[in-house]
Amino acid sequence: MKVLLINPAHRGYYFRLGAVYPPLGLMYIGSVLKHANHHVVLIDMNVQRFDWRNFNYSDFDVVGISVDTPRFPLAKNIALRARNCGTITVLGGPHATAEYESILREGICDYVVLGEGERTFLQLIESLEHGEAHPQTDGLAYLLEGEVFAKPPEFVQNLDELPFPDRENVKLYKTKFCGQPATSMITSRGCPFDCEFCSASQFMGRRIRERSVENVLKELELVKKMGYGSVIFFDDNFTLNAKRTIQLCEGMLKRNLNFRWWAFARADELLNREDLLEAMSKSGCKMLFIGFESAEDKVLKEYKKGLSSSIAFEIVKLLKKYKIDVFASFVLGALSDTRETIMKTIQLAKKLKASIVQFSILTPYPGTRLYEKLKSKILSKDFSLFDGTHLIFEHPNFSPSELKKLFVKAYYYVYSSPRLIFTRGIPFLLKLLKNRGKEESYDLRFGET
């Protein structure tokens, strides 16, 4: 069958900063379908021009669209246009998985793939090819006689069984890290933690599933041959299994891969693990993304983060010892946050002297416990506002405009420091605040309201 896979455009943080990476989920699905001799075209609207309003979707048997929450409005419009052309239309991704019932009842698409899509999408395609419109497939949802039919997804247990993601269009991506062309990989799925605001454990499961070190090294060798000198590991928690991470780092060294790379980690996993940090540093780790989230322990408890803010300085000091930069992330607007606690967090963010600091406004994404808790207090159903830069629920201590002002000031306070202003600060602020809306203006003096 002829399958069109679409990654709708995203205009969030990373896009504004020029960090655009291939859509791994769709690339894995594309690879699985191609191995089964289906014709696949993948369009990533972040790097390709795609006139979705006038495109002839009827040239394809099936259109599959990946969607997270802020991109749902665009994904919905594309899906409706494709379906109106008579093409079977499928949605997948975190938002579709969480909201599949309302999506199907609204008639946006024919099918929703729940959770991981490789096997479910392939089984759906093969069923359709044999004229079976209502397969009893794990991880598939659709309307049947006016009622929603859905079977829970089955996670891929042996990730080594999956083919490497289809990198046919990789030349379209121009992102660099440490001056080298950069691409993305994932070496494990699942997250054993259950943070209040994160849907990772719901979407990928709480049991960690790891690719073998040998399997990962083979893909790294392939990526190296394609001309990449840096890699971003998008595992939810790259350092969870320290022994495996060390083995992977040693393998990269033995094979002289010479990558510059960064990954996501939890702060507490790095304490007292200098063996891990040394191995990572020697193999080319130049940065770790760490969610410190808040300077207030009661906020961390609210988030169910399972951390204390007291370790932040120790972790940054330890990473600097091994010449690993810190990408520090903070979430503003917890239900227990006040102006004072947010200012405390902003001051911590500056004192850490991290190479990059990211602030987000607490957002209840569908599929999280936070969303269920705040459902009745959601101020807008415009999902494009669920981008981490808007307050979209009724907060006990802030109006949307009040929190937005603090959010912008936080960036200004950190990036206007003499340490960063001319190297990263001004370019970062200009890119970040681009397209913030002509109706918004901010007093950027940190001590003012």
Side-chain angles (χ1 to χ4, degrees):
M1 298 188 82
K2 294 181 65 177
V3 180
L4 174 65
L5 301 176
I6 302 173
N7 188 46
H10 199 298
R11 295 296 182 263
Y13 274 122
Y14 300 111
F15 183 88
R16 294 184 206 178
L17 298 175
V20 180
Y21 297 102
L24 286 173
L26 287 180
M27 289 161 60
Y28 268 109
I29 290 173
S31 186
V32 168
L33 294 178
K34 284 184 177 181
H35 275 71
N37 296 316
H38 296 287
H39 176 75
V40 181
V41 174
L42 195 160
I43 297 292
D44 184 354
M45 294 174 66
N46 288 310
V47 295
Q48 293 169 276
R49 291 185 178 180
F50 180 61
D51 185 3
W52 63 268
R53 291 180 177 86
N54 300 306
F55 186 80
N56 186 11
Y57 298 96
S58 60
D59 284 343
F60 292 85
D61 301 301
V62 177
V63 172
I65 307 167
S66 178
V67 57
D68 54 23
T69 301
R71 294 185 295 162
F72 177 67
L74 176 56
K76 174 182 175 178
N77 288 333
I78 296 171
L80 289 172
R81 188 61 58 97
R83 202 177 187 207
N84 287 340
C85 289
T87 304
I88 294 171
T89 307
V90 186
L91 287 186
H95 185 86
T97 297
E99 297 284 284
Y100 70 89
E101 187 163 353
S102 62
I103 287 171
L104 290 169
R105 290 195 182 281
E106 197 177 335
I108 295 171
C109 63
D110 299 287
Y111 301 93
V112 173
V113 170
L114 309 175
E116 297 173 347
E118 293 94 352
R119 289 179 175 172
T120 301
F121 204 112
L122 176 61
Q123 289 170 11
L124 171 62
I125 294 297
E126 292 181 341
S127 296
L128 294 172
E129 196 170 32
H130 291 94
E132 186 180 357
H134 301 108
Q136 306 287 302
T137 301
D138 292 333
L140 189 65
Y142 49 83
L143 278 180
L144 181 61
E145 297 179 355
E147 297 298 324
V148 174
F149 168 87
K151 289 191 72 175
E154 286 286 335
F155 297 117
V156 179
Q157 298 304 318
N158 184 0
L159 297 178
D160 286 5
E161 293 178 353
L162 296 175
F164 296 152
D166 178 17
R167 299 182 185 274
E168 181 180 347
N169 294 330
V170 290
K171 291 183 179 179
L172 297 171
Y173 299 87
K174 306 301 181 183
T175 299
K176 290 187 175 183
F177 176 65
C178 288
Q180 295 290 322
T183 192
S184 53
M185 283 180 58
I186 187 165
T187 79
S188 66
R189 297 183 183 182
C191 180
F193 303 99
D194 198 19
C195 298
E196 187 86 348
F197 52 75
C198 181
S199 63
S201 56
Q202 281 74 30
F203 186 66
M204 291 285 193
R206 295 191 66 176
R207 191 176 79 80
I208 192 79
R209 292 162 289 132
E210 301 170 336
R211 294 168 58 188
S212 68
V213 170
E214 181 63 26
N215 184 258
V216 176
L217 289 171
K218 285 182 179 178
E219 186 178 359
L220 284 170
E221 288 178 327
L222 176 63
V223 165
K224 191 71 176 181
K225 289 178 182 177
M226 298 176 77
Y228 288 99
S230 64
V231 173
I232 287 73
F233 294 106
F234 275 122
D235 304 43
D236 288 307
N237 194 331
F238 186 75
T239 57
L240 180 66
N241 184 342
K243 181 179 179 181
R244 172 180 175 270
T245 304
I246 291 173
Q247 289 174 347
L248 178 57
C249 293
E250 290 174 345
M252 292 168 69
L253 285 168
K254 287 178 182 177
R255 302 189 189 200
N256 297 314
L257 292 175
N258 297 319
F259 282 111
R260 299 293 179 263
W261 58 272
W262 67 273
F264 293 74
R266 270 178 65 96
D268 54 349
E269 293 167 0
L270 306 176
L271 283 175
N272 304 315
R273 289 310 308 251
E274 294 202 38
D275 58 336
L276 171 63
L277 294 175
E278 183 178 9
M280 292 168 66
S281 179
K282 285 182 176 179
S283 68
C285 178
K286 297 300 179 183
M287 180 179 289
L288 288 177
F289 180 107
I290 300 177
F292 294 108
E293 317 307 8
S294 177
E296 195 71 32
D297 281 352
K298 68 177 181 180
V299 170
L300 295 176
K301 187 175 181 180
E302 177 188 324
Y303 290 158
K304 294 182 171 55
K305 188 70 180 179
L307 292 175
S308 170
S309 61
S310 62
I311 67 172
F313 287 103
E314 186 177 354
I315 291 300
V316 172
K317 182 180 179 181
L318 192 58
L319 290 174
K320 286 184 177 179
K321 176 181 176 180
Y322 289 95
K323 298 181 180 180
I324 298 174
D325 290 335
V326 178
F327 189 142
S329 178
F330 298 89
V331 179
L332 309 180
L335 298 177
S336 58
D337 254 334
T338 63
R339 180 178 174 81
E340 288 70 32
T341 62
I342 286 180
M343 290 180 69
K344 183 178 176 182
T345 294
I346 296 170
Q347 288 161 355
L348 169 66
K350 185 169 185 175
K351 289 176 182 177
L352 281 179
K353 296 183 179 179
S355 297
I356 299 177
V357 176
Q358 171 183 291
F359 294 100
S360 302
I361 292 176
L362 183 66
T363 303
Y365 293 104
T368 64
R369 284 200 314 274
L370 185 65
Y371 183 76
E372 296 304 316
K373 179 187 294 185
L374 296 175
K375 246 181 183 179
S376 63
K377 298 182 182 295
I378 299 293
L379 296 172
S380 174
K381 275 292 187 178
D382 179 359
F383 285 120
S384 67
L385 299 178
F386 286 56
D387 62 355
T389 71
H390 298 84
L391 177 62
I392 48 79
F393 65 91
E394 185 181 332
H395 197 285
N397 300 320
F398 300 102
S399 68
S401 61
E402 288 170 339
L403 191 56
K404 189 64 173 284
K405 288 177 182 178
L406 280 172
F407 168 76
V408 174
K409 286 182 180 181
Y411 273 109
Y412 183 80
Y413 182 65
V414 170
Y415 283 95
S416 62
S417 67
R419 183 177 64 89
L420 292 176
I421 188 65
F422 292 113
T423 58
R424 183 169 280 147
I426 291 175
F428 185 96
L429 285 169
L430 289 175
K431 290 177 181 178
L432 179 78
L433 300 180
K434 185 180 180 182
N435 302 325
R436 70 178 185 267
K438 293 182 180 179
E439 76 284 357
E440 298 175 300
S441 62
Y442 303 106
D443 179 351
L444 295 176
R445 292 168 293 173
F446 182 68
E448 304 296 325
T449 303

